[in-house]
Amino acid sequence: MNDPLIAALRIAKSGGNPSELIRQMAGRDPQMRQIMQMISGKNPQQLRQMAENMARERGTTVEKIARDLGLY
């Protein structure tokens, strides 16, 4: 599997916990480390609001992204 983010999404979709894979990615990737710091300590509602805002800035929705990734 070439894309670790897709791997994490597949783990989550299958009911697994992708946190260890994400921690490993953050240790190797400065951008991933920044993302982890940004989401740390947020509750699910705050994370959803962040995701919705980021999607809106890009002219899409969280639901469309999830469908495109095959998560819906």
Side-chain angles (χ1 to χ4, degrees):
M1 205 165 292
N2 293 344
D3 188 343
L5 185 54
I6 297 300
L9 289 171
R10 285 190 179 137
I11 291 169
K13 183 179 178 184
S14 68
N17 185 348
S19 61
E20 182 56 36
L21 176 62
I22 293 169
R23 270 194 291 281
Q24 289 174 6
M25 290 167 37
R28 294 187 300 253
D29 183 347
Q31 189 174 25
M32 194 64 181
R33 202 168 21 257
Q34 182 181 8
I35 291 167
M36 293 297 290
Q37 290 172 345
M38 190 169 70
I39 66 173
S40 179
K42 302 278 191 296
N43 66 41
Q45 184 176 354
Q46 291 169 316
L47 292 172
R48 177 150 185 103
Q49 186 64 52
M50 267 175 86
E52 289 172 349
N53 291 343
M54 292 169 71
R56 191 175 317 108
E57 288 172 5
R58 288 159 180 79
T60 190
T61 65
V62 170
E63 290 78 13
K64 171 138 179 33
I65 293 168
R67 274 193 308 273
D68 291 349
L69 291 171
L71 300 175
Y72 261 18

